[in-house]
Amino acid sequence: MSYVIARVIKVKSTAIGAMQYHNDRAPGEHLNPDIDPERTHLNYELHGEGCFLPRKYAAEVDERIAANRTSGRKVRKDAVKLVEGIITASPEFFEGKSEEECRRFFEDAYEFVKAEMGAENMIHFTVHMDETTPHAHWGAVPIKDGRLSWKAFFDGRGGLSAFQDRCFEKVGAPWGLDRGEKHSGRRYRETAEMKRDLEQEVEELREQKAALIDEIAYKDGQLYELQDAVVSKEIEIEQLKSEVKRQRSTIDRLERTISGLEERLDKAIGNIIEIADTMRWRFEPQNWRKVLSRLVDNPIAHAALAVRQNVARWVEKDARAADKVIKREVKSVRKELGALAAEAQQMGTSAKQLENERSSGRPESRSKGVDR
């Protein structure tokens, strides 16, 4: 049984360069071990003629926004400027298929994305044939009715699910593919460049954060009920105050933890993006050193510079030493993000336990006849 796979992520301005670095196989060392450079010539671009026209995503994105956005306000620094997506199928779908058959599948996917996002918003539709599973990366500026808005295309988690439903109907079903289970927890994970993997993991953690915020709002409503019971049932006042205080303390702790979690996630992904943007200088050691030295707030850059701190001028061996340190530091950051994911899961479990304790200890179960 083979499935059609479609994933979408938000991309802010700081990450656009890293997206193109991966998609166009820009010169330099890529962190994805599954990329076969001897097959890279088989990759192709469906949006526009030829393969990988000389261009820059960032400039094209800004041009589309300037041309099609009607608001005169300055675009916010943290605005989602690019929607970046992946479309592929289970590996067994491609077994035995010719390059022409694979191309027709991706052409159908390209037509679907153009219809969804608008041809005027498309930046690229890049097909990678040099990895384990053929797949396409696409990018589009989210402008609708003159507004730059992610929500205009994907309103909440239901919007993403609806997009996947339409992808199955228009692309998957005609090719005999099945619709994957909704919210099954399984997702396509090309063994891609570190930056792209981390973006996906961060998006999942942010969804968990949103669920925890909903849980907090629900428990605030429970607190109101407890406080009302205190007024109407004085005999239980001390016990109820203690319960209110305990739940308020737990909620406050969850709010602080969520806030700190988001800040750490944003900082970690920002550091990775900055380092990824410097990799184009990898084969110009002295220039690379200068670029890294400008990242004054990036601990990965500091670690890379420190290993060859006493060298007057970097040469190739110095760049190799710095590159080794960067890979080690990136691996450490990924481990930290894994710990953050575990922490988020533990927070969800704690919230569920709090709900169970609240349900089993409701005032009306301890004292019948409470007047509501």
Side-chain angles (χ1 to χ4, degrees):
M1 185 177 294
S2 298
Y3 300 92
V4 63
I5 298 168
R7 294 289 182 267
V8 179
I9 61 172
K10 304 174 183 177
V11 181
K12 299 179 182 179
S13 58
T14 54
I16 292 176
M19 293 293 159
Q20 182 164 10
Y21 174 79
H22 173 78
N23 292 341
D24 287 1
R25 299 296 192 252
E29 183 175 353
H30 290 268
L31 299 177
N32 180 5
D34 282 348
I35 295 175
D36 182 357
E38 294 185 359
R39 291 175 53 82
T40 296
H41 68 281
L42 299 175
N43 297 346
Y44 52 90
E45 173 65 48
L46 288 178
H47 184 66
E49 298 180 359
C51 180
F52 308 133
L53 298 171
R55 63 186 186 193
K56 289 188 177 180
Y57 284 4
E60 290 188 31
V61 168
D62 288 340
E63 287 174 3
R64 301 292 174 83
I65 293 174
N68 300 323
R69 181 170 172 265
T70 57
S71 173
R73 293 182 180 180
K74 186 177 180 181
V75 179
R76 292 173 49 183
K77 290 183 179 180
D78 62 347
V80 176
K81 287 188 172 183
L82 184 68
V83 177
E84 183 78 7
I86 295 174
I87 290 185
T88 183
S90 305
E92 59 270 17
F93 169 75
F94 295 101
E95 293 179 0
K97 284 188 169 53
S98 66
E99 291 184 11
E100 181 59 32
E101 288 176 307
C102 292
R103 187 182 182 96
R104 289 203 305 272
F105 170 78
F106 288 118
E107 286 174 345
D108 289 348
Y110 173 49
E111 294 301 322
F112 164 73
V113 173
K114 278 199 302 182
E116 288 285 317
M117 302 301 300
E120 70 281 2
N121 292 332
M122 292 296 296
I123 298 297
H124 73 93
F125 194 96
T126 310
V127 180
H128 284 167
M129 302 294 290
D130 60 354
E131 296 182 45
T132 305
T133 302
H135 58 276
H137 295 283
W138 60 266
V141 180
I143 293 183
K144 182 178 286 187
D145 299 327
R147 294 175 57 245
L148 182 66
S149 172
W150 160 272
K151 290 185 178 180
F153 293 89
F154 307 98
D155 189 6
R157 281 171 286 179
L160 291 173
S161 180
F163 174 85
Q164 292 172 329
D165 288 340
R166 294 191 296 273
C167 183
F168 164 68
E169 293 171 3
K170 300 294 185 180
V171 181
W175 282 89
L177 293 167
D178 293 303
R179 170 67 162 94
E181 298 177 29
K182 295 185 179 181
H183 313 300
S184 65
R186 293 179 297 185
R187 65 185 180 90
Y188 173 74
R189 184 181 181 86
E190 64 166 341
T191 312
E193 191 173 2
M194 185 71 65
K195 157 66 185 59
R196 189 176 300 279
D197 288 343
L198 290 174
E199 277 287 77
Q200 187 67 30
E201 293 171 12
V202 168
E203 190 64 23
E204 291 175 357
L205 289 173
R206 284 177 175 158
E207 289 180 2
Q208 294 179 33
K209 168 184 170 287
L212 289 172
I213 290 175
D214 290 342
E215 182 74 12
I216 288 171
Y218 175 70
K219 292 190 179 301
D220 278 336
Q222 290 183 318
L223 286 175
Y224 180 84
E225 291 182 357
L226 287 173
Q227 290 164 346
D228 184 59
V230 167
V231 174
S232 62
K233 196 70 174 177
E234 291 184 357
I235 193 172
E236 295 180 358
I237 192 168
E238 292 302 324
Q239 182 179 2
L240 289 172
K241 281 184 176 180
S242 176
E243 180 71 2
V244 168
K245 182 178 180 180
R246 186 177 73 86
Q247 291 204 23
R248 182 71 264 171
S249 175
T250 301
I251 290 171
D252 289 343
R253 177 177 58 82
L254 287 173
E255 289 177 333
R256 290 193 300 270
T257 303
I258 289 170
S259 177
L261 177 61
E262 183 179 40
E263 184 176 344
R264 291 166 65 189
L265 287 171
D266 288 344
K267 182 63 177 176
I269 195 63
N271 289 337
I272 293 294
I273 291 170
E274 286 183 343
I275 290 298
D277 284 341
T278 72
M279 294 302 291
R280 63 181 182 272
W281 298 102
R282 165 66 181 79
F283 296 100
E284 297 180 33
Q286 188 60 14
N287 287 333
W288 193 28
R289 179 185 187 179
K290 291 179 181 179
V291 172
L292 288 172
S293 67
R294 297 188 190 120
L295 305 181
V296 295
D297 295 323
N298 192 314
I300 301 177
H302 291 176
L305 291 168
V307 74
R308 308 301 289 176
Q309 186 173 3
N310 297 324
V311 177
R313 182 178 181 83
W314 275 16
V315 294
E316 181 59 25
K317 68 176 184 179
D318 304 310
R320 287 197 301 270
D323 185 61
K324 183 177 181 181
V325 171
I326 285 175
K327 290 180 178 178
R328 183 191 68 205
E329 293 297 318
V330 167
K331 182 178 181 180
S332 176
V333 170
R334 291 198 69 187
K335 183 176 181 181
E336 180 183 359
L337 286 173
L340 291 179
E343 182 179 349
Q345 184 177 5
Q346 185 176 5
M347 287 167 60
T349 301
S350 298
K352 185 64 176 179
Q353 291 174 346
L354 183 61
E355 164 61 17
N356 292 338
E357 293 174 9
R358 170 70 181 90
S359 298
S360 63
R362 297 177 67 90
E364 53 266 40
S365 68
R366 296 195 301 268
S367 176
K368 296 182 179 179
V370 175
D371 185 8
R372 292 287 180 182

